Amino acid sequence: MVAEFDREEMLTRLDDFRARVSQTDTGLASLKAQLEVLEKTHAQTIKEAVADVDKARLDLKTLQVRSAIDSEQLKLNYQEAEATHKQLLNEVPMMETSLQSQWKLALLSRDEGLAELKRTESNVDRMILRAPLSGLVVMMTTFRSGGEMAQIKAGDKVGSGSPIMRIVDLTSRIVDANVN
């Protein structure tokens, strides 16, 4: 390692993304449980509707011993129970599509968080400069306030693309000189 940029802000962001991914995973588990409850509740509602239809059908068998008003009421009850049952059955595909959409959206949110986490981890790693070869590190100079030239040191601000150091390979040397 030859240089390290200030990584505090990046490390804070990294911790935030880790917490967000953890919350998303917890949210996924909660959403999965909620979706299962909704499916089971809807299935139970359908079973109750079937039971209502069966009861209304049995009540229709007693029409002969009922008054005209009661008979009409029983017929209406049967029609209502059948309509409710059909409506609930028609809702099943729409409900399944809705539940699948909610699940896919939650997965996409989690995947987006994971991608952002990986990108931030990669960026944190890039804040450390490692030498591509072994050798001697020679620090470059920079302008300081007042027009003074001085060697770059810890805490100095450098512009984008500005060289801050040179790594000299000691196994071979080149002399850069002016010759008359």
Side-chain angles (χ1 to χ4, degrees), residues 12 50-51 70 78-79 83 103 133 135 141 152 180:
T12 301
V50 169
D70 286 343
Y78 176 72
Q79 291 172 354
W103 181 250
L133 54 103
T141 57
I152 294 175
N180 190 352

PDB file of all heavy atoms in Angstrom, residues 12 50-51 70 78-79 83 103 133 135 141 152 180:
ATOM      1  N   THR A  12     -18.840   4.863   5.957  1.00  0.00           N
ATOM      2  CA  THR A  12     -20.158   5.150   6.532  1.00  0.00           C
ATOM      3  C   THR A  12     -21.255   4.736   5.558  1.00  0.00           C
ATOM      4  O   THR A  12     -22.243   4.106   5.952  1.00  0.00           O
ATOM      5  CB  THR A  12     -20.284   6.654   6.868  1.00  0.00           C
ATOM      6  OG1 THR A  12     -19.249   7.000   7.784  1.00  0.00           O
ATOM      7  CG2 THR A  12     -21.637   6.971   7.475  1.00  0.00           C
ATOM      8  N   VAL A  50     -67.902 -22.025  -0.372  1.00  0.00           N
ATOM      9  CA  VAL A  50     -68.392 -23.348  -0.811  1.00  0.00           C
ATOM     10  C   VAL A  50     -69.359 -23.898   0.225  1.00  0.00           C
ATOM     11  O   VAL A  50     -70.426 -24.446  -0.122  1.00  0.00           O
ATOM     12  CB  VAL A  50     -67.211 -24.312  -1.044  1.00  0.00           C
ATOM     13  CG1 VAL A  50     -67.697 -25.740  -1.224  1.00  0.00           C
ATOM     14  CG2 VAL A  50     -66.397 -23.878  -2.265  1.00  0.00           C
ATOM     15  N   ALA A  51     -69.022 -23.741   1.500  1.00  0.00           N
ATOM     16  CA  ALA A  51     -69.908 -24.219   2.570  1.00  0.00           C
ATOM     17  C   ALA A  51     -71.241 -23.465   2.538  1.00  0.00           C
ATOM     18  O   ALA A  51     -72.307 -24.071   2.729  1.00  0.00           O
ATOM     19  CB  ALA A  51     -69.238 -24.054   3.929  1.00  0.00           C
ATOM     20  N   ASP A  70     -90.506 -17.338   2.673  1.00  0.00           N
ATOM     21  CA  ASP A  70     -89.304 -18.062   3.093  1.00  0.00           C
ATOM     22  C   ASP A  70     -88.644 -18.759   1.900  1.00  0.00           C
ATOM     23  O   ASP A  70     -87.414 -18.774   1.781  1.00  0.00           O
ATOM     24  CB  ASP A  70     -89.638 -19.098   4.169  1.00  0.00           C
ATOM     25  CG  ASP A  70     -89.915 -18.466   5.524  1.00  0.00           C
ATOM     26  OD1 ASP A  70     -89.537 -17.278   5.707  1.00  0.00           O
ATOM     27  OD2 ASP A  70     -90.501 -19.142   6.397  1.00  0.00           O
ATOM     28  N   TYR A  78     -79.375 -18.667  -1.911  1.00  0.00           N
ATOM     29  CA  TYR A  78     -78.602 -19.584  -2.754  1.00  0.00           C
ATOM     30  C   TYR A  78     -77.915 -18.820  -3.891  1.00  0.00           C
ATOM     31  O   TYR A  78     -76.729 -19.021  -4.155  1.00  0.00           O
ATOM     32  CB  TYR A  78     -79.524 -20.676  -3.316  1.00  0.00           C
ATOM     33  CG  TYR A  78     -78.813 -21.595  -4.280  1.00  0.00           C
ATOM     34  CD1 TYR A  78     -77.887 -22.527  -3.831  1.00  0.00           C
ATOM     35  CD2 TYR A  78     -79.054 -21.522  -5.652  1.00  0.00           C
ATOM     36  CE1 TYR A  78     -77.227 -23.361  -4.715  1.00  0.00           C
ATOM     37  CE2 TYR A  78     -78.403 -22.350  -6.543  1.00  0.00           C
ATOM     38  CZ  TYR A  78     -77.491 -23.267  -6.064  1.00  0.00           C
ATOM     39  OH  TYR A  78     -76.833 -24.085  -6.947  1.00  0.00           O
ATOM     40  N   GLN A  79     -78.646 -17.938  -4.560  1.00  0.00           N
ATOM     41  CA  GLN A  79     -78.066 -17.158  -5.657  1.00  0.00           C
ATOM     42  C   GLN A  79     -76.919 -16.263  -5.163  1.00  0.00           C
ATOM     43  O   GLN A  79     -75.882 -16.138  -5.818  1.00  0.00           O
ATOM     44  CB  GLN A  79     -79.147 -16.311  -6.329  1.00  0.00           C
ATOM     45  CG  GLN A  79     -80.163 -17.128  -7.106  1.00  0.00           C
ATOM     46  CD  GLN A  79     -81.328 -16.286  -7.603  1.00  0.00           C
ATOM     47  OE1 GLN A  79     -81.445 -15.104  -7.278  1.00  0.00           O
ATOM     48  NE2 GLN A  79     -82.216 -16.902  -8.381  1.00  0.00           N
ATOM     49  N   ALA A  83     -73.020 -16.535  -6.292  1.00  0.00           N
ATOM     50  CA  ALA A  83     -72.355 -15.366  -6.875  1.00  0.00           C
ATOM     51  C   ALA A  83     -71.080 -15.026  -6.099  1.00  0.00           C
ATOM     52  O   ALA A  83     -70.035 -14.728  -6.697  1.00  0.00           O
ATOM     53  CB  ALA A  83     -73.305 -14.178  -6.887  1.00  0.00           C
ATOM     54  N   TRP A 103     -43.900  -9.800  -4.601  1.00  0.00           N
ATOM     55  CA  TRP A 103     -42.699 -10.570  -4.283  1.00  0.00           C
ATOM     56  C   TRP A 103     -41.549 -10.179  -5.222  1.00  0.00           C
ATOM     57  O   TRP A 103     -40.415  -9.970  -4.791  1.00  0.00           O
ATOM     58  CB  TRP A 103     -42.999 -12.064  -4.362  1.00  0.00           C
ATOM     59  CG  TRP A 103     -41.826 -12.919  -4.034  1.00  0.00           C
ATOM     60  CD1 TRP A 103     -41.114 -13.699  -4.888  1.00  0.00           C
ATOM     61  CD2 TRP A 103     -41.198 -13.067  -2.761  1.00  0.00           C
ATOM     62  NE1 TRP A 103     -40.093 -14.318  -4.232  1.00  0.00           N
ATOM     63  CE2 TRP A 103     -40.120 -13.958  -2.916  1.00  0.00           C
ATOM     64  CE3 TRP A 103     -41.442 -12.533  -1.500  1.00  0.00           C
ATOM     65  CZ2 TRP A 103     -39.289 -14.325  -1.874  1.00  0.00           C
ATOM     66  CZ3 TRP A 103     -40.619 -12.904  -0.452  1.00  0.00           C
ATOM     67  CH2 TRP A 103     -39.554 -13.788  -0.639  1.00  0.00           C
ATOM     68  N   LEU A 133       4.392  -2.633  -8.580  1.00  0.00           N
ATOM     69  CA  LEU A 133       5.689  -3.287  -8.566  1.00  0.00           C
ATOM     70  C   LEU A 133       6.438  -2.854  -7.309  1.00  0.00           C
ATOM     71  O   LEU A 133       6.092  -1.862  -6.688  1.00  0.00           O
ATOM     72  CB  LEU A 133       6.502  -2.934  -9.826  1.00  0.00           C
ATOM     73  CG  LEU A 133       6.683  -1.432 -10.101  1.00  0.00           C
ATOM     74  CD1 LEU A 133       8.071  -0.999  -9.706  1.00  0.00           C
ATOM     75  CD2 LEU A 133       6.427  -1.187 -11.574  1.00  0.00           C
ATOM     76  N   GLY A 135       9.584  -1.293  -5.337  1.00  0.00           N
ATOM     77  CA  GLY A 135      10.566  -0.278  -5.677  1.00  0.00           C
ATOM     78  C   GLY A 135      10.574   0.810  -4.628  1.00  0.00           C
ATOM     79  O   GLY A 135      10.084   0.625  -3.511  1.00  0.00           O
ATOM     80  N   THR A 141       6.035  16.912  -5.964  1.00  0.00           N
ATOM     81  CA  THR A 141       5.878  18.204  -5.317  1.00  0.00           C
ATOM     82  C   THR A 141       4.598  18.850  -5.800  1.00  0.00           C
ATOM     83  O   THR A 141       4.075  18.516  -6.870  1.00  0.00           O
ATOM     84  CB  THR A 141       7.074  19.124  -5.632  1.00  0.00           C
ATOM     85  OG1 THR A 141       7.191  19.245  -7.033  1.00  0.00           O
ATOM     86  CG2 THR A 141       8.351  18.556  -5.023  1.00  0.00           C
ATOM     87  N   ILE A 152       4.446  16.527  -1.470  1.00  0.00           N
ATOM     88  CA  ILE A 152       3.097  16.158  -1.023  1.00  0.00           C
ATOM     89  C   ILE A 152       3.226  15.364   0.264  1.00  0.00           C
ATOM     90  O   ILE A 152       4.092  14.503   0.398  1.00  0.00           O
ATOM     91  CB  ILE A 152       2.372  15.329  -2.114  1.00  0.00           C
ATOM     92  CG1 ILE A 152       2.136  16.200  -3.341  1.00  0.00           C
ATOM     93  CG2 ILE A 152       1.068  14.772  -1.581  1.00  0.00           C
ATOM     94  CD1 ILE A 152       1.538  15.446  -4.510  1.00  0.00           C
ATOM     95  N   ASN A 180      25.631  18.823 -22.727  1.00  0.00           N
ATOM     96  CA  ASN A 180      26.063  19.819 -23.687  1.00  0.00           C
ATOM     97  C   ASN A 180      26.933  19.176 -24.734  1.00  0.00           C
ATOM     98  O   ASN A 180      27.839  18.447 -24.453  1.00  0.00           O
ATOM     99  CB  ASN A 180      26.802  20.953 -22.959  1.00  0.00           C
ATOM    100  CG  ASN A 180      27.046  22.117 -23.875  1.00  0.00           C
ATOM    101  OD1 ASN A 180      26.802  22.050 -25.081  1.00  0.00           O
ATOM    102  ND2 ASN A 180      27.543  23.185 -23.293  1.00  0.00           N
TER     103      ASN A 180
END
